[in-house]
């Protein structure tokens, strides 16, 4: 707001295009609640992962060949012959998982602290749009190495659209550009896989814009009331996020360098064979909860609708949750339900990776039902009947009331 | 908040661990577990074993299985000299051309060539193997869950079929192959090769050696990956420590 | 932690040192992380492995020329006539923009082997054209003589001689 550059060159630029002022406002003086915990680091980590994926992806595209006869060997060419190709390819493959890990944590943080509630509904929506675009991008990226899982994953997922009445088959043929997943499919997936990340960048800018319009939520869920409640983003949160980034990179590196194929599937090291389906098809881990919901329904259209519904209901969350209190810290019942919901999502992930037989089917259905019951029934009801704990008067008061305790702990 | 963090990270770890086992649990049989020298954080390939494994591959496996993604030149990783690599490459014939008259011609292999495939295409391979397709082995060790143990177990897992087992014509019984019926007859028998370093060529030894060789073939950059990884993580630990100290300093006037 | 004034100074110093250490480490880490992304654009191992080409000279008649590919570039293999060789040797080096005797450009004078890329901006010169009986680059009008030396036009240097050796009388290996 009150950005007055001293450097004449910056001033010259600022008078014509106020971009430095914008960045200054967004990254420097942006008033941030002083009580953000490390759970608020995952947003910037997600931004870092987006950049990592785009940079490694652009580099991989320099060596990759999107053709059914050459895709698999071109990936192996990257792994074996290109300088540091193995590093960049493993970075990209594991980076996708890391991106989803931080984004899931970011989403659950939003759920716990009620970050989706007014006035942040649009912020929440934009986040969900990013999530959907990420899933589309990740799915198409997984097809590119043209291994067995690539091919059969592409076949199964595109066939979801055949569940649509009347026009389903035509849509699937249109998606494929043929009568099976084949070279035209691979080519268009490559093109879109390259495009979508930049669309995500655009939505991320809107997401941050919406965030900065009303400011960050915080662990108390209270609004900023006075100057004492906030601190400038820089240096406080830049340095905190950098520390969080360093820790996160250690976690990333552990997978990247010491278990690079752990999160992948061995079948994807077998070249795609349109005549033989692998015995056990599973999507990447980050799709497993939705895959479990899909399989929980013994009806093609129903399963597909429920799976997309699982994300669609998240869009309605700001209106389903009737509580006026944001943070679960002051909502004793919701807090417990939240953890049950987390457990339910983990259970769905687990079920999604298991073959659809025996007890897994039953548990998959129970977990699916609970997922929707939580969002559509429990959340609205709890908001109506729950008696919240007393709220602190302000963020500052909350921080001060905790201070003696933490100092005692430090001295002990 | 710490409670939140720990419980969520435990939950994440549990779900990740279950993933791994979900993928490993393709078949109920438990594989023989070998303590490979290239396992673990510091593991490197056993050069002598891999060199013997190459001999086993060339003399036993190569009749049916290709290794199309591995170039002869990369054998230098395993300690072969340039001359040895040239000699190994030259033993295979490659079609090249066209020459000045427009004819294709055969020439001996060069280090830049990849290991040849024994069959011109999948159909030819199936035709010569009773309908079964001997897969290319370049990535085999990564294309099966727990691939190294699997390959070793498979190669040493041939036995007589149980009396009540209905074995199809022309198939062999293997304790570790999914479904136990495998089209490949037991490939290894004692002294099938003669090791120049004097190692006794038992079935167990040959199975181990060829597994090490195939592990290298599938992941030739493993050693580089681990050594870079160790340095990266060490660096990041220091970086995290310094950043933490800076964070404490910066935040000291807030709390 | 016991005295007053020096401790304060120490505090300031320690703070500065921390910031410098953090910034330095961050810069080093970033630089190290960038290197693989630069290095990946260099020729890959399989490209490097293909860096030699063998040529069979049998059948290239006197006065004729073949073009072979070495490292993705055209290489002219010219079987020169007596007249070509004489013209190439009978030149006052002082007249040349890039003086070099013909003897330095060949191993066996009968065979002229050079990279067929104009040293001006990379076009492929045409044989048997130009004012000097050698090559002529159509892009910007550079004339090369029967030794592949630049004689007229914008090119600054002679056509490049690649490293090569005679494996025997009728075979050469380029690279």
């Amino acid at each position: 707001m009150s950005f007055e550059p001293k450097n004449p060159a910056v001033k010259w630029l600022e008078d014509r295009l106020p971009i430095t002022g914008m960045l200054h406002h967004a990254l420097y003086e942006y008033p941030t609640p002083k009580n953000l915990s490390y759970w608020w680091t995952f947003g910037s980590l997600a931004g870092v992962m987006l950049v990592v994926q785009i940079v490694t992806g652009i580099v991989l595209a320099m060596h990759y060949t999107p053709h059914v006869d050459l895709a698999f060997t071109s990936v192996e060419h990257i792994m074996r012959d290109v300088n540091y190709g193995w590093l960049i390819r493993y970075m990209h493959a594991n980076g996708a998982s890391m991106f989803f890990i931080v984004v899931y944590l970011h989403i659950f943080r939003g759920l716990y602290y009620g970050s989706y509630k007014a006035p942040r509904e649009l912020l929440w929506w934009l986040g969900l749009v990013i999530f959907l675009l990420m899933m589309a991008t990740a799915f198409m990226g997984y097809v590119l190495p043209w291994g067995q899982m690539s091919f059969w994953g592409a076949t199964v997922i595109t066939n979801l659209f055949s569940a649509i009445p009347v026009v389903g088959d035509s849509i699937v043929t249109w998606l494929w550009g043929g009568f099976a997943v084949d070279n035209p499919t691979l080519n268009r997936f490559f093109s879109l896989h390259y495009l979508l990340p930049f669309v995500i960048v655009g939505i991320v800018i809107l997401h941050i814009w919406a965030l900065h319009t009303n400011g960050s939520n915080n662990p108390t869920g209270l609004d900023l009331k006075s100057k004492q409640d906030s601190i400038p983003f820089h240096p406080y949160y830049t340095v905190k996020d950098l520390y969080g980034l360093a820790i996160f990179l250690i976690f990333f590196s552990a997978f990247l360098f010491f278990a690079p194929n752990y999160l992948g599937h061995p079948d994807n090291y077998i070249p795609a064979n349109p005549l033989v389906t692998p015995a056990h098809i599973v999507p990447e881990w980050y799709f497993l909860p939705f895959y479990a919901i899909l399989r929980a329904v013994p009806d093609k259209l129903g399963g597909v609708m429920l799976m997309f519904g699982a994300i669609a209901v998240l869009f309605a969350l700001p209106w389903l949750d009737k509580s006026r209190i944001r943070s679960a810290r002051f909502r004793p019942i919701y807090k417990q339900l939240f953890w049950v919901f987390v457990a339910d999502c983990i259970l769905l992930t687990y079920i999604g990776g298991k073959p659809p037989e025996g007890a897994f089917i039953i548990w998959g259905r129970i977990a699916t039902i609970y997922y929707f019951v939580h969002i559509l029934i429990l959340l609205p009801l709890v908001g109506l009947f729950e008696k919240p704990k007393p709220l602190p008067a302000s963020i500052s008061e909350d921080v001060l009331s905790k201070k003696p305790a933490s100092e005692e702990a430090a001295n002990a | 908040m710490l409670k939140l963090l720990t419980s969520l990270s435990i939950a994440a770890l549990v779900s990740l661990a279950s993933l791994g086992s979900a993928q490993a649990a393709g078949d109920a049989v438990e594989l023989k577990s070998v303590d490979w020298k290239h396992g673990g954080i510091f593991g490197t390939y056993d050069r002598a074993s891999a060199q013997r494994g190459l001999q086993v591959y060339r003399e036993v496996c190569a009749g049916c299985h290709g290794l199309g993604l591995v170039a002869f030149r990369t054998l230098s990783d395993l300690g072969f000299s340039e001359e040895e690599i040239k000699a190994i490459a030259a033993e295979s014939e490659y079609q090249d051309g066209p020459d000045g008259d427009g004819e294709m011609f055969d020439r001996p292999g060069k280090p830049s060539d990849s290991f040849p495939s024994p069959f011109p295409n999948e159909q030819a391979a199936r035709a010569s193997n009773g309908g079964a397709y001997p897969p290319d082995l370049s990535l085999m060790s990564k294309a099966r869950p727990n691939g190294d143990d699997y390959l070793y177990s498979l190669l040493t897992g041939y036995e007589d079929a149980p009396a009540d087992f209905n074995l199809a014509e022309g198939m062999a019984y293997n304790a570790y192959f999914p479904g136990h019926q495998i089209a490949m007859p037991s490939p290894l028998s004692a002294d099938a090769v003669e090791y120049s370093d004097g190692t006794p060529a038992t079935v167990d030894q040959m199975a181990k050696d060829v597994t090490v060789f195939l592990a290298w073939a599938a992941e030739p950059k493993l050693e580089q990956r681990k050594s870079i990884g160790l340095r990266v993580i060490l660096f990041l630990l220091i970086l995290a420590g310094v950043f933490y100290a800076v964070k404490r300093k910066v935040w000291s006037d807030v709390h | 932690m016991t005295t007053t004034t020096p401790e304060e100074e120490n505090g300031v110093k320690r703070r500065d040192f921390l910031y410098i250490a953090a910034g330095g480490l961050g810069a080093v880490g970033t630089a190290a992380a960038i290197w693989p992304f630069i290095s990946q654009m260099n020729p890959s191992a399989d490209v490097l492995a293909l860096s030699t080409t063998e040529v069979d000279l049998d059948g290239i008649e006197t006065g004729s020329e073949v073009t072979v590919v070495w490292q993705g570039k055209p290489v002219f293999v010219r079987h020169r006539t007596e007249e070509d060789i004489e013209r190439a040797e009978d030149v006052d080096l002082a007249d040349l923009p890039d003086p070099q005797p013909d003897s330095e450009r060949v191993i066996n004078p009968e065979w002229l082997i050079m990279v067929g890329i104009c040293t001006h901006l990379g076009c492929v010169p045409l044989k048997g054209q130009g004012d000097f009986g050698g090559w002529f680059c159509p892009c910007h009008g550079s004339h090369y003589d029967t030794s592949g030396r630049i004689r007229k036009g914008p090119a600054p240097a002679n056509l490049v001689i690649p490293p090569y050796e005679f494996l025997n009388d009728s075979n050469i290996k380029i690279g």
Side-chain angles (χ1 to χ4, degrees):
Chain A
M1 279 174 237
S2 56
F3 178 65
E4 277 162 29
K6 293 193 185 78
N7 184 319
V10 177
K11 185 167 173 3
W12 185 89
L13 177 69
E14 185 68 12
D15 289 343
R16 285 153 185 82
L17 180 73
I19 189 166
T20 40
M22 203 177 82
L23 289 174
H24 180 85
H25 178 61
L27 294 171
Y28 206 97
E29 65 189 11
Y30 172 55
T32 317
K34 65 200 247 184
N35 60 337
L36 297 190
S37 66
Y38 280 106
W39 289 107
W40 266 261
T41 307
F42 293 104
S44 55
L45 288 182
V48 169
M49 281 320 299
L50 178 61
V51 173
V52 167
Q53 290 304 87
I54 288 179
V55 171
T56 53
I58 287 172
V59 164
L60 290 173
M62 294 179 188
H63 304 281
Y64 169 77
T65 311
H67 186 279
V68 290
D69 294 336
L70 300 169
F72 190 86
T73 39
S74 73
V75 171
E76 279 305 309
H77 160 70
I78 293 169
M79 294 293 287
R80 289 159 192 271
D81 293 330
V82 174
N83 301 325
Y84 296 102
W86 59 270
L87 175 65
I88 295 165
R89 195 254 170 159
Y90 276 152
M91 223 184 249
H92 197 69
N94 284 282
S97 286
M98 295 301 135
F99 198 178
F100 274 98
I101 287 174
V102 295
V103 162
Y104 277 133
L105 291 172
H106 189 63
I107 292 174
F108 278 114
R109 190 269 288 151
L111 289 175
Y112 186 84
Y113 293 109
S115 301
Y116 48 85
K117 292 188 194 185
R120 298 189 181 84
E121 305 96 319
L122 200 57
L123 175 63
W124 173 252
W125 275 21
L126 288 165
L128 287 174
V129 170
I130 293 170
F131 180 50
L132 286 171
L133 287 170
M134 275 175 66
M135 294 205 283
T137 310
F139 159 64
M140 289 190 274
Y142 194 62
V143 176
L144 303 184
W146 209 241
Q148 273 288 67
M149 275 297 165
S150 301
F151 182 88
W152 292 102
T155 301
V156 168
I157 300 298
T158 48
N159 264 316
L160 290 179
F161 293 91
S162 70
I164 302 169
V166 189
V167 292
D169 286 335
S170 310
I171 288 179
V172 173
T173 307
W174 175 76
L175 285 173
W176 287 341
F179 302 102
V181 174
D182 208 335
N183 201 49
T185 327
L186 178 60
N187 270 290
R188 62 191 60 182
F189 278 17
F190 179 53
S191 170
L192 293 172
H193 181 72
Y194 206 119
L195 167 71
L196 287 186
F198 297 98
V199 178
I200 294 177
V201 169
I203 311 282
V204 165
I205 290 170
L206 296 182
H207 189 68
I208 295 172
W209 190 0
L211 170 72
H212 286 216
T213 303
N214 285 301
S216 303
N217 188 23
N218 65 82
T220 64
L222 300 174
D223 291 325
L224 296 174
K225 283 175 185 149
S226 67
K227 272 204 128 154
Q228 274 85 45
D229 287 349
S230 74
I231 44 178
F233 190 79
H234 180 81
Y236 296 103
Y237 286 106
T238 40
V239 70
K240 190 167 178 174
D241 283 357
L242 277 175
Y243 168 60
L245 175 65
I247 297 292
F248 169 70
L249 287 179
I250 294 172
F251 177 75
F252 187 179
S253 299
F255 278 96
L256 171 58
F257 292 105
F258 297 102
N261 294 308
Y262 182 78
L263 295 168
H265 197 288
D267 276 348
N268 229 24
Y269 280 110
I270 303 171
N273 181 350
L275 305 179
V276 182
T277 308
H280 184 203
I281 298 194
V282 281
E284 294 285 85
W285 69 267
Y286 38 81
F287 291 136
L288 290 176
F290 303 102
Y291 194 56
I293 292 175
L294 170 76
R295 296 194 305 189
V297 186
D299 173 78
K300 188 170 175 180
L301 182 60
V304 173
M305 282 177 57
L306 211 60
M307 185 179 76
F308 286 111
I311 296 167
V313 290
L314 295 176
F315 280 89
L317 216 55
W319 296 275
L320 288 171
D321 185 347
K322 299 290 183 200
S323 173
R324 284 173 300 106
I325 313 293
R326 290 200 187 99
S327 172
R329 262 179 64 188
F330 308 108
R331 301 184 59 191
I333 302 176
Y334 173 71
K335 188 180 189 171
Q336 296 185 11
L337 285 177
F338 170 83
W339 287 112
V340 177
F341 183 68
V342 170
D344 187 58
C345 291
I346 292 171
L347 179 64
L348 281 170
T349 308
Y350 175 77
I351 299 285
K354 291 290 178 189
E357 55 197 29
F360 295 132
I361 297 181
I362 311 294
W363 278 107
R365 289 186 185 156
I366 293 171
T368 301
I369 291 167
Y370 184 79
Y371 180 95
F372 287 97
V373 165
H374 173 90
I375 293 172
L376 295 174
I377 299 171
L378 295 179
L379 212 53
L381 285 182
V382 168
L384 292 177
F385 297 112
E386 185 179 44
K387 189 170 179 298
K389 290 186 197 168
L391 294 176
S394 69
I395 293 172
S396 289
E397 193 202 87
D398 182 61
V399 171
L400 288 174
S401 71
K402 281 185 173 174
K403 201 181 170 188
S406 63
E407 269 184 0
E408 264 168 41
N411 291 337
Chain B
M1 206 43 46
L2 199 67
K3 208 181 90 190
L4 198 87
L5 188 81
T6 42
S7 44
L8 208 61
S9 54
I10 288 169
L13 281 176
V14 167
S15 61
L16 285 180
S18 69
L19 270 175
S21 58
Q23 287 166 358
D27 217 72
V29 190
E30 199 173 316
L31 301 173
K32 294 183 202 174
S33 173
V34 179
D35 190 14
W36 302 104
K37 186 169 171 287
H38 58 268
I41 295 175
F42 302 99
T44 53
Y45 288 117
D46 182 339
R47 295 289 190 286
S49 177
Q51 291 198 9
R52 291 193 299 268
L54 170 67
Q55 189 185 349
V56 176
Y57 167 74
R58 293 179 72 211
E59 292 178 20
V60 180
C61 318
C64 298
H65 294 277
L67 200 64
L69 296 172
V70 181
F72 291 115
R73 60 186 156 79
T74 56
L75 288 174
S76 59
D77 292 1
L78 296 181
F80 286 99
S81 71
E82 207 181 315
E83 291 312 308
E84 289 169 316
I85 292 171
K86 275 186 179 165
I88 292 170
E91 285 179 32
S92 307
E93 288 265 301
Y94 288 82
Q95 194 179 56
D96 205 342
D99 62 12
D101 301 324
E103 301 292 328
M104 302 303 279
F105 59 91
D106 285 338
R107 59 157 177 81
K110 294 186 283 196
S112 58
D113 290 315
S114 292
F115 278 85
S117 292
F119 303 103
N121 51 54
E122 185 179 330
Q123 285 74 8
R126 286 191 188 278
S128 330
N129 288 284
Y133 176 50
D136 187 277
L137 297 181
S138 310
L139 285 166
M140 193 49 75
S141 128
K142 289 200 288 190
R144 297 288 179 274
N146 214 350
D148 295 344
D149 284 348
Y150 172 75
L151 284 175
Y152 169 74
S153 302
L154 183 88
L155 289 171
T156 56
Y158 283 89
E159 48 193 66
D160 292 332
D164 57 342
F165 192 85
N166 194 5
L167 199 63
E169 181 72 28
M171 303 291 261
Y173 184 87
N174 190 299
Y176 299 96
F177 191 71
H180 302 308
Q181 285 205 77
I182 184 167
M184 173 170 74
S186 177
L188 298 174
S189 55
D191 298 314
V193 302
E194 191 181 334
Y195 285 139
S196 58
D197 64 0
T199 308
T202 60
V203 170
D204 186 78
Q205 184 67 40
M206 287 185 289
K208 272 187 183 144
D209 290 344
V210 81
T211 300
V212 172
F213 172 69
L214 290 177
W216 167 80
E219 185 78 358
K221 306 290 184 189
L222 171 138
E223 293 175 5
Q224 199 187 355
R225 190 184 84 213
K226 287 179 183 175
S227 80
I228 292 179
L230 281 174
R231 278 176 281 163
V232 166
I233 288 184
L234 200 65
F235 174 81
L236 286 173
L237 284 170
I238 296 168
L239 189 73
V242 173
F243 278 176
Y244 182 67
V246 172
K247 190 245 155 193
R248 292 273 305 227
K249 276 274 171 220
V250 168
W251 279 76
S252 56
D253 57 355
V254 176
H255 286 302
Chain C
M1 292 280 185
T2 44
T3 48
T4 47
T5 29
E7 191 240 326
E8 219 154 65
E9 248 173 37
N10 263 343
V12 172
K13 269 188 189 155
R14 188 165 158 229
R15 194 175 176 132
D16 287 347
F17 171 74
L18 259 179
Y19 291 168
I20 291 165
L25 278 174
V28 168
T30 311
I34 287 173
W35 171 244
F37 293 87
I38 295 169
S39 174
Q40 56 86 18
M41 290 200 10
N42 271 320
S44 56
D46 55 329
V47 171
L48 292 174
L50 290 176
S51 53
T52 64
T53 300
E54 288 185 20
V55 187
D56 183 0
L57 300 178
D58 276 347
I60 304 176
E61 284 172 28
T62 313
S64 68
E65 172 183 325
V66 297
T67 304
V68 298
V69 178
W70 171 66
Q71 292 187 343
K73 292 175 288 199
V75 170
F76 297 158
V77 180
R78 168 77 154 244
H79 194 168
R80 297 197 293 187
T81 60
E82 287 296 323
E83 192 198 346
D84 286 337
I85 300 170
E86 255 169 53
R87 276 184 81 170
E89 285 171 349
D90 188 23
V91 164
D92 185 358
L93 291 187
D95 293 345
L96 299 178
D98 181 13
Q100 195 180 22
D102 186 58
S103 56
E104 273 183 25
R105 297 178 53 81
V106 289
I107 295 174
N108 172 350
E110 266 186 48
W111 297 99
L112 177 65
I113 287 117
M114 57 190 184
V115 177
I117 293 181
C118 181
T119 55
H120 181 221
L121 290 170
C123 297
V124 178
L126 305 168
K127 69 177 165 184
Q129 294 190 29
D131 300 348
F132 299 89
W135 290 263
F136 172 69
C137 181
C139 289
H140 307 96
S142 294
H143 299 255
Y144 296 92
D145 66 13
T146 56
S147 188
R149 290 171 298 200
I150 179 64
R151 300 296 285 270
K152 199 170 113 186
N158 303 332
L159 291 178
V160 172
I161 306 295
Y164 69 93
E165 57 179 329
F166 276 85
L167 298 172
N168 52 47
D169 280 351
S170 62
N171 273 294
I172 55 165
K173 186 172 104 174
I174 305 171

